Amino acid sequence: MSISYGWEKLYLAIDCLTSEGDQTSRLIDAVSFNLAQIRSENDLPENLKQRFDNLMESFRAVQPTQNEGLYRATINSFNAMERKAAVEEIISLYTEMSKHRELI
């Protein structure tokens, strides 16, 4: 993959976050369908890899039960402040990635 792929997936995550539905569902979709596809070692610039990995780790903190996926289980456990912080970090990563992309 490439940095362009990472940018595209972050862009699509932002698109999910601004779509219809409640904040929890939008965040689950953004993570499951877009962020989870990014491989930091291949798809992000060096200065964003650790931040991205830390963010993704925060989405894997709760063990799922039955048919509930890992990301869904964790995000469902977030309170409003934790969801807000996660959304803000995704937006920040996208902004930084866009700046980096302009330099290429």
Side-chain angles (χ1 to χ4, degrees):
M1 296 298 168
S2 71
I3 288 177
S4 292
Y5 180 78
W7 177 86
E8 177 185 352
K9 287 300 186 178
L10 282 163
Y11 172 83
L12 292 171
I14 298 294
D15 188 56
C16 282
L17 292 172
T18 60
S19 65
E20 297 285 324
D22 64 275
Q23 186 183 47
T24 300
S25 297
R26 290 179 291 160
L27 183 55
I28 290 167
D29 288 348
V31 173
S32 300
F33 299 124
N34 297 294
L35 300 183
Q37 310 311 311
I38 295 173
R39 299 292 166 251
S40 63
E41 65 274 5
N42 298 324
D43 303 328
L44 298 175
E46 195 63 40
N47 65 318
L48 297 181
K49 290 178 182 183
Q50 190 62 54
R51 280 180 57 198
F52 178 80
D53 290 343
N54 291 344
L55 176 67
M56 291 306 294
E57 187 62 33
S58 75
F59 296 129
R60 295 189 284 263
V62 174
Q63 288 300 315
T65 58
Q66 297 178 353
N67 294 335
E68 185 179 51
L70 182 60
Y71 300 128
R72 181 176 298 280
T74 302
I75 293 168
N76 279 335
S77 76
F78 285 2
N79 63 36
M81 293 293 287
E82 291 168 319
R83 284 191 309 275
K84 182 178 186 283
V87 168
E88 288 174 351
E89 181 65 356
I90 294 167
I91 292 167
S92 177
L93 285 166
Y94 171 74
T95 301
E96 290 300 315
M97 187 72 160
S98 294
K99 289 177 188 175
H100 180 81
R101 192 167 178 244
E102 290 173 4
L103 299 173
I104 298 176

